[in-house]
Amino acid sequence: MKIKMKSTKTERRSSIITRLTVAAGIVILALNFSQLAITTTIVSKDIEEETKNDYKIVADGYVASLENKIDGFHKELDSYLNADIMKDGTIAEIAQWLTAHEDIRSPSFDYIILCGEDGHSYSDIGKRTDISALPYFDAILKRGKQKFVGNPVISQATGQPVVHVARAIRRNGHNIALIAGVVNIGGIISEVNEIDIGGSGYGWLIDGDGIVIAHKEKSLVMSRNIQTSSPAGSGMRKVADSLAIGEAGAQWVDSLSGNGREFAVYKHIPGTTWGFALSIPEDMVFSLIKKIERTQAVASLAIVIILLSVIGILTRGMIKPLRVVENAITGIAAGDADLTKRIEFKSNNEIGSVVRGFNDFASKLNAIIADVKSSKAELSLVGEDLSASTADTECAITQIIEDIEHMQEQIFRQDSSVEQTASAVNEIASNIESLERMIESQSAGVAQASAAVEQMIGNIGSVRSSVDKMASSFEKLRMNSQDGIEKQKDVNEQIQKIEAQSVMLQEANSAIQAIAEQTNLLAMNAAIEAAHAGDAGKGFAVVADEIRKLSETSSVQSKTIGEQLSNIKSSIARVVESSDGSNSAFETVSHLIKVTDELVLQIKKAMDEQNEGSRQISESLHTMNDGTTEVRNASAEMTVGNKAILAEIRNLQDATTTIKEGMGDMGFGARKIKETGTSLSELSGKMSESIMKIGSQIDQFRV
């Protein structure tokens, strides 16, 4: 059937055309602006490089001019250096000559300074001062430079910035003095400030410390320090740092006067610590780029307008054939649901494909509606079955809810039992932890006692060794004492000859002297053995000290007796030599040695008994330590087992809680299912009504 074409809605067509036109305009503008940005970036780099190269040449010229001016100051000092007085005159003579020849001073200098190695300077205007701390003195007379130009300073006399241009006075290859001219650099500052590049570019100077020497902003001169006032890493700080080490280059910087960014081309001035720079404002550098940007912006706008006009015309022509499709679809929608209608439109373009697709869709929809109409009766039967099934489901859900409520009661009782079990297990765990801490404390005490006993056994062993050595020493002393007694018998006959004269004194002196020597030896041996025994030998040390005191007392008495025996020295000389160890002294010493030996044996026996007892204590402590370790291991196993039981109890609690929550959810779900079943019953009735209505609606379609 041929469908009559109707007029389409202007609003819809205009909306599509507008969206396409705006989208195309945005894409074209984005592409143009991207091209402009890329072009600007490339041109900016080229212009920046060209600016750097061009103004580097200009800066080189100004630097060369300043270098020549400073060289001129050095040459003006030649009239002083070439004078005859400089060859062999003293510093004082040169100073007098300098004052007398003030008229040869160049107009460039305010005055001339002469200074020797002592740092005391003379000037041709009669001033004297100490300049040993100034940079040009250090450079010429300490570091041996031939020429030096210092950083500018404010003159105390004129209040103007001045600089010292210094030269060395040399003799025999050594700098013996310097001569310096004080130059007012107001002319140099004015010359730099008069630099004008393109109306807004200008030049400026800084010294080696970063202080501004010359700038178009006069308030900055000799007051602004770039190195201290500029942030680290800033462009101006980089310029100052580079000039301080004699480097040249170019850098974007923030203007010192606060007028935006500037492109600075800078270079070190040879022969000085100064740096010269040319600053060109950013707008002056990129003026050509701004012209290019404006031109391209206008051209892009014109191109966009032309392209949008063309796109609008083409889009309007392409959308026109869709009116046929729109009229046909409107006719089908506004008619009596006749699915047998088709659109007659013959074309091989995309719109023809859309029409053929619509006709195919209508054919399929016709077949589907025919099948639905034939299935209407079956759908009615299904609705009745659904109602019956819904009633049965509702009864089953009611029974499930009752079972779930009974199960919940059982789970609540189980949860209460699990809580009681968990409390009991926690109490057992607490008791086990207390037992474990007590076992740890006991184990630590046993370990300390065992260590103390082991140390005591070691000390007893040391004392036994010392006692054995002492017993051996006493045995040797006893044997020596017996030998002395035998020798004493041999000299008794000689002693009897002079017994009437010196029996009392000789016996006392011999006894005291012998006792003093042997006692002193005994005290020394006892002190040595006590030192070897350590803490265990402190008692022996006390005995040794008392014996030493007895020896000193005996020595004093022996000295007194020796003075009394001096009158009969010649008659008893041979007797004294052979009776140093007198019989009575040997018997006394032998008796003392015997007593001491018995004491040492008793001490040794006591030490043996103490050592045996200590070993038994140590063995008992080791046995106790082993038992404590076994108890601790058993306690640890009990702790691990209790933790496992406690974990299982917690798992059981979690499982019980989960089951309880699950049963609650199941109850809630069952009730929801019951409610849903009730709703389903209602929906089943409504569905039956809907099936009837759908049937009446389907009957309206013509297939």
Side-chain angles (χ1 to χ4, degrees):
M1 178 183 291
K2 186 175 182 180
I3 304 301
K4 185 178 179 181
M5 295 175 62
K6 297 181 181 180
S7 61
T8 57
K9 294 182 180 180
T10 305
E11 291 79 10
R12 187 174 184 182
R13 289 197 304 271
S14 297
S15 177
I16 293 174
I17 293 170
T18 301
R19 286 198 295 269
L20 289 173
T21 304
V22 170
I26 292 173
V27 171
I28 294 170
L29 285 174
L31 292 174
N32 275 276
F33 280 116
S34 298
Q35 180 184 5
L36 179 60
I38 294 171
T39 304
T40 302
T41 302
I42 296 172
V43 174
S44 297
K45 292 183 179 179
D46 293 340
I47 289 176
E48 184 176 326
E49 189 64 28
E50 290 179 3
T51 302
K52 176 181 177 181
N53 295 331
D54 293 342
Y55 288 108
K56 183 177 181 296
I57 297 172
V58 177
D60 289 344
Y62 283 113
V63 169
S65 174
L66 292 171
E67 184 181 4
N68 290 334
K69 188 177 289 292
I70 292 170
D71 284 342
F73 295 147
H74 284 300
K75 290 178 181 178
E76 289 176 356
L77 293 174
D78 287 343
S79 58
Y80 296 96
L81 294 173
N82 295 331
D84 294 336
I85 191 67
M86 297 294 178
K87 297 178 181 179
D88 51 11
T90 63
I91 300 298
E93 292 172 346
I94 296 173
Q96 293 178 356
W97 177 88
L98 192 67
T99 305
H101 292 78
E102 183 181 358
D103 55 339
I104 69 171
R105 184 203 312 149
S106 168
S108 301
F109 301 129
D110 289 349
Y111 55 91
I112 303 298
I113 295 175
L114 172 71
C115 182
E117 294 178 321
D118 59 356
H120 296 289
S121 67
Y122 304 84
S123 70
D124 60 354
I125 59 175
K127 292 178 61 177
R128 295 199 60 185
T129 184
D130 187 352
I131 65 169
S132 59
L134 297 181
Y136 62 94
F137 176 86
D138 178 75
I140 300 296
L141 293 176
K142 289 186 178 180
R143 291 186 283 139
K145 287 191 173 184
Q146 302 297 310
K147 299 178 179 180
F148 183 78
V149 177
N151 290 330
V153 295
I154 300 298
S155 173
Q156 296 180 354
T158 64
Q160 298 295 319
V162 297
V163 66
H164 294 82
V165 179
R167 296 278 301 276
I169 301 174
R170 295 177 63 82
R171 290 180 186 172
N172 300 323
H174 177 66
N175 294 354
I176 64 163
L178 66 83
I179 189 164
V182 180
V183 181
N184 187 323
I185 61 171
I188 295 177
I189 294 174
S190 298
E191 181 180 344
V192 173
N193 290 342
E194 290 172 359
I195 296 174
D196 185 5
I197 301 175
S200 55
Y202 61 95
W204 47 280
L205 279 175
I206 63 172
D207 66 11
D209 295 330
I211 297 176
V212 177
I213 302 174
H215 197 276
K216 68 177 183 178
E217 293 289 339
K218 295 183 180 179
S219 61
L220 302 175
V221 176
M222 300 303 295
S223 63
R224 179 73 172 271
N225 190 319
I226 296 176
Q227 287 185 329
T228 58
S229 64
S230 300
S234 64
M236 194 62 75
R237 181 67 175 271
K238 291 179 181 178
V239 171
D241 293 341
S242 298
L243 289 174
I245 58 176
E247 293 183 349
Q251 178 74 41
W252 283 103
V253 299
D254 292 329
S255 172
L256 290 175
S257 56
N259 295 327
R261 288 211 317 161
E262 298 175 341
F263 191 73
V265 179
Y266 55 90
K267 185 176 182 181
H268 176 73
I269 301 175
T272 70
T273 60
W274 307 354
F276 174 79
L278 290 175
S279 286
I280 299 87
E282 186 177 16
D283 55 355
M284 180 178 171
V285 175
F286 296 119
S287 59
L288 177 60
I289 294 178
K290 294 187 181 297
K291 292 179 182 179
I292 294 173
E293 288 177 347
R294 287 193 294 269
T295 303
Q296 282 198 346
V298 173
S300 298
L301 184 60
I303 291 170
V304 169
I305 293 172
I306 294 170
L307 289 175
L308 291 180
S309 299
V310 173
I311 290 170
I313 295 170
L314 292 175
T315 304
R316 187 179 295 275
M318 293 172 61
I319 292 176
K320 187 176 181 180
L322 292 176
R323 294 176 181 176
V324 177
V325 179
E326 182 184 5
N327 293 333
I329 294 174
T330 302
I332 293 173
D336 55 356
D338 187 358
L339 297 179
T340 62
K341 292 181 178 181
R342 299 292 182 268
I343 300 173
E344 294 182 2
F345 182 82
K346 295 180 179 180
S347 178
N348 292 325
N349 57 16
E350 288 81 359
I351 297 175
S353 298
V354 172
V355 171
R356 287 191 296 271
F358 176 78
N359 289 335
D360 293 340
F361 169 73
S363 298
K364 289 185 178 180
L365 183 59
N366 182 52
I368 292 170
I369 293 299
D371 291 338
V372 171
K373 291 179 72 174
S374 63
S375 301
K376 183 178 68 172
E378 296 178 2
L379 189 61
S380 298
L381 295 175
V382 170
E384 294 175 359
D385 294 338
L386 178 62
S387 297
S389 298
T390 301
D392 295 338
T393 302
E394 188 174 1
C395 294
I397 290 171
T398 302
Q399 183 64 38
I400 290 172
I401 291 173
E402 293 177 357
D403 294 339
I404 288 173
E405 290 176 351
H406 179 69
M407 183 66 71
Q408 279 182 329
E409 293 176 0
Q410 297 296 327
I411 289 172
F412 277 123
R413 287 196 292 271
Q414 180 182 350
D415 183 58
S416 177
S417 299
V418 170
E419 289 292 338
Q420 293 176 359
T421 304
S423 299
V425 171
N426 283 326
E427 186 175 356
I428 292 171
S430 176
N431 294 333
I432 290 173
E433 289 178 358
S434 300
L435 178 61
E436 192 170 16
R437 286 193 296 270
M438 294 173 61
I439 291 170
E440 289 291 338
S441 176
Q442 179 182 352
S443 177
V446 171
Q448 292 178 356
S450 178
V453 171
E454 290 290 342
Q455 186 176 3
M456 184 173 69
I457 291 173
N459 293 335
I460 291 172
S462 300
V463 173
R464 283 188 61 197
S465 176
S466 300
V467 170
D468 289 338
K469 292 180 181 179
M470 190 181 296
S472 176
S473 299
F474 279 122
E475 181 64 24
K476 291 180 181 180
L477 286 174
R478 190 180 61 79
M479 294 175 63
N480 291 334
S481 178
Q482 293 296 327
D483 293 339
I485 291 173
E486 294 297 328
K487 292 179 180 180
Q488 181 63 30
K489 291 180 180 180
D490 295 335
V491 299
N492 279 340
E493 294 179 359
Q494 298 179 4
I495 293 173
Q496 290 176 357
K497 294 179 181 179
I498 55 174
E499 184 176 4
Q501 299 176 4
S502 60
V503 62
M504 294 176 63
L505 295 176
Q506 188 268 337
E507 288 177 357
N509 186 60
S510 298
I512 291 169
Q513 186 174 3
I515 290 171
E517 290 178 355
Q518 296 299 324
T519 304
N520 192 26
L521 179 61
L522 178 62
M524 184 181 299
N525 289 335
I528 292 172
E529 295 301 328
H532 284 223
D535 292 335
K538 289 183 179 180
F540 294 105
V542 174
V543 175
D545 187 63
E546 293 297 325
I547 295 174
R548 181 182 58 78
K549 291 179 181 179
L550 178 62
S551 174
E552 291 175 354
T553 303
S554 300
S555 296
V556 172
Q557 293 179 357
S558 177
K559 182 177 179 180
T560 302
I561 295 171
E563 291 175 355
Q564 295 177 1
L565 291 175
S566 60
N567 295 329
I568 55 174
K569 181 179 180 180
S570 58
S571 62
I572 62 173
R574 286 188 299 107
V575 177
V576 170
E577 291 177 0
S578 60
S579 64
D580 286 338
S582 63
N583 188 40
S584 61
F586 278 116
E587 289 178 354
T588 302
V589 171
S590 178
H591 177 71
L592 292 174
I593 289 173
K594 182 177 180 181
V595 173
T596 304
D597 190 31
E598 291 175 354
L599 291 174
V600 169
L601 292 176
Q602 292 176 2
I603 291 171
K604 182 177 179 182
K605 183 178 180 181
M607 286 298 174
D608 290 337
E609 293 176 354
Q610 187 174 1
N611 186 39
E612 183 63 27
S614 298
R615 292 186 185 280
Q616 293 176 0
I617 293 172
S618 178
E619 290 175 358
S620 300
L621 286 174
H622 283 301
T623 303
M624 186 183 296
N625 193 23
D626 294 338
T628 302
T629 302
E630 292 177 359
V631 173
R632 184 170 56 188
N633 292 336
S635 176
E637 292 176 358
M638 288 173 66
T639 301
V640 172
N642 185 70
K643 288 180 179 178
I645 293 171
L646 191 58
E648 293 300 326
I649 290 294
R650 290 197 184 100
N651 292 336
L652 183 57
Q653 283 180 313
D654 295 339
T656 302
T657 303
T658 303
I659 293 170
K660 185 166 63 174
E661 293 174 354
M663 291 305 295
D665 293 340
M666 286 173 64
F668 178 74
R671 287 189 292 272
K672 293 295 291 184
I673 291 172
K674 184 177 181 181
E675 294 173 0
T676 304
T678 304
S679 301
L680 186 60
S681 298
E682 296 175 358
L683 290 175
S684 177
K686 293 180 180 179
M687 185 176 178
S688 298
E689 296 176 0
S690 298
I691 290 172
M692 297 303 295
K693 291 180 181 179
I694 290 171
S696 62
Q697 294 293 331
I698 291 173
D699 290 338
Q700 295 179 7
F701 285 96
R702 185 184 299 176
V703 297

